[in-house]
């Protein structure tokens, strides 16, 4: 988790590459899923809701897993995993990623239950409860804010 | 100063990838509203300008790095090519009327080339060959 601006041992390259790639794809796919959810909340369309769920399952959740596994990998290589009191920037990263994952799961469940309810109502687009979908979109917007905070912590490394 | 530049540089890269993720969804056939596409194209442009200007500023600011270092020159070369490839998909999608549009195979191919170039840029930033 040493920043871009330094030269590191070569063996850290792969986990750092995966960690940063996971973070970028997580931010991009969470933004896209939120866009689909806000559109679904506005017009009640099931196609946007379906696209949001697909983005969450194909993009957001796998990206979070890549980010988190690579973070553990590099923390282990750098010796941070054995510390009783890791630096605060690592703690910020843990809080952002774990709280973020919880919000991603809640958002996915809200979207999934809404889609199931719409299907049970024979696909009546107007039946999509926009408040649940809007809540799911807002949760993803919070995930984005958390990721930007984590990005700030990883690059500036506050003590 | 270096920390702020690095944060903004990485944030710009995140904006660039956010645009690219939306373009990838379109390449896979997702319907993205044109108003939302405009936001993603703006993020893509902000990302492109940000990574370049802030990257140059970082190369000047950090002791031990210079603009003529091999990995910096590689990054600049990749940056010069990615813009042209990345622009094609959102432009074609908009010209075809947006949601429901069928994109030519060549446009989709350009998009995947842009994805590969962005991955190479990220790998270059991390590996820093010949640094």
């Amino acid at each position: 988790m040493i920043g871009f601006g330094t030269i590191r041992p070569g063996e850290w390259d792969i986990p750092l590459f995966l960690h940063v790639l996971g973070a970028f794809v997580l931010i991009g796919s969470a933004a896209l899923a939120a866009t689909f959810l806000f559109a679904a909340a506005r017009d009640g369309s099931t196609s946007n809701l379906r696209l949001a769920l697909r983005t969450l399952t194909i993009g957001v959740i796998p990206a979070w897993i890549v980010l988190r596994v690579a973070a553990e990998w590099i923390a282990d290589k750098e010796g941070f995993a054995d510390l009783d009191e890791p630096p605060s920037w690592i703690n910020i990263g843990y809080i952002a990623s774990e709280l973020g994952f919880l919000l991603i799961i809640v958002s996915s469940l809200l979207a999934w239950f809404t889609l199931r309810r719409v299907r049970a109502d024979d696909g009546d687009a107007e039946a999509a409860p926009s408040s649940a979908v809007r809540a799911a979109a807002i949760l993803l917007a919070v995930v984005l804010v958390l990721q930007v905070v984590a990005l700030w912590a990883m690059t500036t490394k506050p003590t | 100063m270096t920390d702020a530049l690095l944060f903004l540089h990485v944030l710009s890269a995140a904006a660039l990838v956010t645009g690219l993720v939306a373009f990838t969804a379109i390449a896979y056939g997702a319907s993205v509203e044109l108003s939302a596409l405009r936001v993603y194209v703006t993020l893509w442009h902000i990302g492109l300008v940000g990574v370049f200007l802030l990257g140059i500023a970082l190369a000047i600011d950090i002791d031990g790095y210079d603009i003529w270092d091999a990995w910096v020159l590689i990054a600049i070369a990749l940056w010069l090519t990615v813009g042209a490839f990345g622009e094609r998909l959102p432009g074609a999608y908009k010209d075809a009327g947006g949601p429901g549009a069928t994109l030519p195979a060549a446009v989709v191919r350009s998009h995947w080339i842009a994805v590969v170039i962005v991955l190479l840029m990220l790998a270059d930033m991390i590996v820093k060959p010949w640094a």
Side-chain angles (χ1 to χ4, degrees), chain A residues 141-159:
Chain A
V142 175
V143 171
L144 284 174
V145 173
L146 287 172
Q147 292 313 309
V148 171
V149 171
L151 210 136
W152 168 80
M154 296 294 127
T155 49
T156 61
K157 297 191 170 42
T159 50

mmCIF file of all heavy atoms in Angstrom, chain A residues 141-159:
data_model
loop_
_atom_site.group_PDB
_atom_site.id
_atom_site.type_symbol
_atom_site.label_atom_id
_atom_site.label_comp_id
_atom_site.label_asym_id
_atom_site.label_seq_id
_atom_site.Cartn_x
_atom_site.Cartn_y
_atom_site.Cartn_z
ATOM 1 N N ALA A 141 -24.141 5.814 -3.560
ATOM 2 C CA ALA A 141 -23.482 7.125 -3.579
ATOM 3 C C ALA A 141 -22.597 7.275 -2.332
ATOM 4 O O ALA A 141 -21.488 7.820 -2.412
ATOM 5 C CB ALA A 141 -24.526 8.235 -3.640
ATOM 6 N N VAL A 142 -23.072 6.743 -1.197
ATOM 7 C CA VAL A 142 -22.260 6.784 0.033
ATOM 8 C C VAL A 142 -21.004 5.914 -0.147
ATOM 9 O O VAL A 142 -19.907 6.296 0.283
ATOM 10 C CB VAL A 142 -23.093 6.319 1.256
ATOM 11 C CG1 VAL A 142 -22.215 6.248 2.509
ATOM 12 C CG2 VAL A 142 -24.272 7.255 1.495
ATOM 13 N N VAL A 143 -21.171 4.764 -0.816
ATOM 14 C CA VAL A 143 -20.013 3.891 -1.104
ATOM 15 C C VAL A 143 -18.969 4.679 -1.901
ATOM 16 O O VAL A 143 -17.759 4.590 -1.626
ATOM 17 C CB VAL A 143 -20.446 2.616 -1.882
ATOM 18 C CG1 VAL A 143 -19.236 1.830 -2.376
ATOM 19 C CG2 VAL A 143 -21.317 1.725 -1.004
ATOM 20 N N LEU A 144 -19.422 5.453 -2.865
ATOM 21 C CA LEU A 144 -18.493 6.253 -3.680
ATOM 22 C C LEU A 144 -17.723 7.246 -2.815
ATOM 23 O O LEU A 144 -16.506 7.402 -2.969
ATOM 24 C CB LEU A 144 -19.265 7.003 -4.768
ATOM 25 C CG LEU A 144 -19.713 6.164 -5.960
ATOM 26 C CD1 LEU A 144 -20.592 6.983 -6.889
ATOM 27 C CD2 LEU A 144 -18.502 5.650 -6.731
ATOM 28 N N VAL A 145 -18.449 7.915 -1.898
ATOM 29 C CA VAL A 145 -17.782 8.874 -1.006
ATOM 30 C C VAL A 145 -16.738 8.148 -0.147
ATOM 31 O O VAL A 145 -15.600 8.616 -0.001
ATOM 32 C CB VAL A 145 -18.825 9.598 -0.115
ATOM 33 C CG1 VAL A 145 -18.135 10.471 0.932
ATOM 34 C CG2 VAL A 145 -19.769 10.438 -0.963
ATOM 35 N N LEU A 146 -17.109 6.982 0.377
ATOM 36 C CA LEU A 146 -16.167 6.193 1.200
ATOM 37 C C LEU A 146 -14.922 5.817 0.399
ATOM 38 O O LEU A 146 -13.800 5.853 0.913
ATOM 39 C CB LEU A 146 -16.848 4.913 1.710
ATOM 40 C CG LEU A 146 -17.885 5.075 2.820
ATOM 41 C CD1 LEU A 146 -18.602 3.758 3.063
ATOM 42 C CD2 LEU A 146 -17.213 5.557 4.108
ATOM 43 N N GLN A 147 -15.118 5.456 -0.856
ATOM 44 C CA GLN A 147 -13.974 5.068 -1.695
ATOM 45 C C GLN A 147 -13.049 6.247 -1.962
ATOM 46 O O GLN A 147 -11.829 6.078 -2.013
ATOM 47 C CB GLN A 147 -14.449 4.449 -3.018
ATOM 48 C CG GLN A 147 -15.121 3.094 -2.861
ATOM 49 C CD GLN A 147 -14.337 2.156 -1.967
ATOM 50 O OE1 GLN A 147 -13.153 1.938 -2.143
ATOM 51 N NE2 GLN A 147 -15.003 1.610 -0.949
ATOM 52 N N VAL A 148 -13.639 7.439 -2.125
ATOM 53 C CA VAL A 148 -12.802 8.630 -2.346
ATOM 54 C C VAL A 148 -12.009 8.941 -1.070
ATOM 55 O O VAL A 148 -10.826 9.296 -1.128
ATOM 56 C CB VAL A 148 -13.653 9.839 -2.807
ATOM 57 C CG1 VAL A 148 -12.828 11.122 -2.834
ATOM 58 C CG2 VAL A 148 -14.237 9.573 -4.193
ATOM 59 N N VAL A 149 -12.653 8.759 0.099
ATOM 60 C CA VAL A 149 -11.940 8.976 1.373
ATOM 61 C C VAL A 149 -10.782 7.966 1.489
ATOM 62 O O VAL A 149 -9.655 8.328 1.863
ATOM 63 C CB VAL A 149 -12.916 8.831 2.579
ATOM 64 C CG1 VAL A 149 -12.143 8.827 3.900
ATOM 65 C CG2 VAL A 149 -13.937 9.959 2.571
ATOM 66 N N ALA A 150 -11.049 6.699 1.129
ATOM 67 C CA ALA A 150 -10.004 5.667 1.187
ATOM 68 C C ALA A 150 -8.869 6.015 0.231
ATOM 69 O O ALA A 150 -7.687 5.866 0.565
ATOM 70 C CB ALA A 150 -10.599 4.306 0.844
ATOM 71 N N LEU A 151 -9.237 6.506 -0.936
ATOM 72 C CA LEU A 151 -8.230 6.893 -1.934
ATOM 73 C C LEU A 151 -7.347 8.026 -1.394
ATOM 74 O O LEU A 151 -6.121 8.010 -1.566
ATOM 75 C CB LEU A 151 -8.984 7.351 -3.184
ATOM 76 C CG LEU A 151 -8.320 7.157 -4.518
ATOM 77 C CD1 LEU A 151 -9.335 6.609 -5.496
ATOM 78 C CD2 LEU A 151 -7.837 8.477 -5.025
ATOM 79 N N TRP A 152 -7.995 8.974 -0.707
ATOM 80 C CA TRP A 152 -7.251 10.079 -0.085
ATOM 81 C C TRP A 152 -6.289 9.524 0.980
ATOM 82 O O TRP A 152 -5.120 9.907 1.031
ATOM 83 C CB TRP A 152 -8.237 11.082 0.530
ATOM 84 C CG TRP A 152 -7.588 12.077 1.434
ATOM 85 C CD1 TRP A 152 -6.912 13.207 1.066
ATOM 86 C CD2 TRP A 152 -7.521 12.007 2.864
ATOM 87 N NE1 TRP A 152 -6.434 13.838 2.183
ATOM 88 C CE2 TRP A 152 -6.795 13.129 3.297
ATOM 89 C CE3 TRP A 152 -8.013 11.115 3.815
ATOM 90 C CZ2 TRP A 152 -6.543 13.374 4.639
ATOM 91 C CZ3 TRP A 152 -7.763 11.359 5.154
ATOM 92 C CH2 TRP A 152 -7.039 12.487 5.550
ATOM 93 N N ALA A 153 -6.798 8.601 1.803
ATOM 94 C CA ALA A 153 -5.967 8.029 2.873
ATOM 95 C C ALA A 153 -4.792 7.236 2.297
ATOM 96 O O ALA A 153 -3.672 7.317 2.800
ATOM 97 C CB ALA A 153 -6.819 7.130 3.767
ATOM 98 N N MET A 154 -5.035 6.488 1.216
ATOM 99 C CA MET A 154 -3.978 5.657 0.625
ATOM 100 C C MET A 154 -2.887 6.513 -0.029
ATOM 101 O O MET A 154 -1.724 6.127 -0.046
ATOM 102 C CB MET A 154 -4.551 4.715 -0.448
ATOM 103 C CG MET A 154 -5.534 3.689 0.061
ATOM 104 S SD MET A 154 -4.799 2.490 1.153
ATOM 105 C CE MET A 154 -5.889 2.616 2.560
ATOM 106 N N THR A 155 -3.282 7.671 -0.573
ATOM 107 C CA THR A 155 -2.299 8.492 -1.294
ATOM 108 C C THR A 155 -1.591 9.489 -0.372
ATOM 109 O O THR A 155 -0.416 9.798 -0.590
ATOM 110 C CB THR A 155 -2.946 9.266 -2.460
ATOM 111 O OG1 THR A 155 -4.111 9.934 -1.992
ATOM 112 C CG2 THR A 155 -3.319 8.345 -3.597
ATOM 113 N N THR A 156 -2.297 9.998 0.654
ATOM 114 C CA THR A 156 -1.664 11.014 1.514
ATOM 115 C C THR A 156 -1.105 10.406 2.795
ATOM 116 O O THR A 156 -0.291 11.026 3.466
ATOM 117 C CB THR A 156 -2.661 12.131 1.882
ATOM 118 O OG1 THR A 156 -3.750 11.540 2.604
ATOM 119 C CG2 THR A 156 -3.195 12.828 0.650
ATOM 120 N N LYS A 157 -1.583 9.203 3.149
ATOM 121 C CA LYS A 157 -1.123 8.479 4.341
ATOM 122 C C LYS A 157 -1.068 9.355 5.594
ATOM 123 O O LYS A 157 0.014 9.590 6.164
ATOM 124 C CB LYS A 157 0.231 7.840 4.077
ATOM 125 C CG LYS A 157 0.152 6.797 2.973
ATOM 126 C CD LYS A 157 1.384 5.969 2.866
ATOM 127 C CE LYS A 157 1.197 4.795 1.945
ATOM 128 N NZ LYS A 157 0.475 5.043 0.701
ATOM 129 N N PRO A 158 -2.234 9.858 6.066
ATOM 130 C CA PRO A 158 -2.239 10.680 7.290
ATOM 131 C C PRO A 158 -1.847 9.832 8.503
ATOM 132 O O PRO A 158 -2.176 8.648 8.562
ATOM 133 C CB PRO A 158 -3.688 11.140 7.404
ATOM 134 C CG PRO A 158 -4.471 10.113 6.653
ATOM 135 C CD PRO A 158 -3.582 9.616 5.566
ATOM 136 N N THR A 159 -1.153 10.435 9.475
ATOM 137 C CA THR A 159 -0.732 9.668 10.663
ATOM 138 C C THR A 159 -1.744 9.846 11.785
ATOM 139 O O THR A 159 -2.468 10.808 11.826
ATOM 140 C CB THR A 159 0.654 10.128 11.134
ATOM 141 O OG1 THR A 159 0.637 11.545 11.239
ATOM 142 C CG2 THR A 159 1.722 9.679 10.172
#
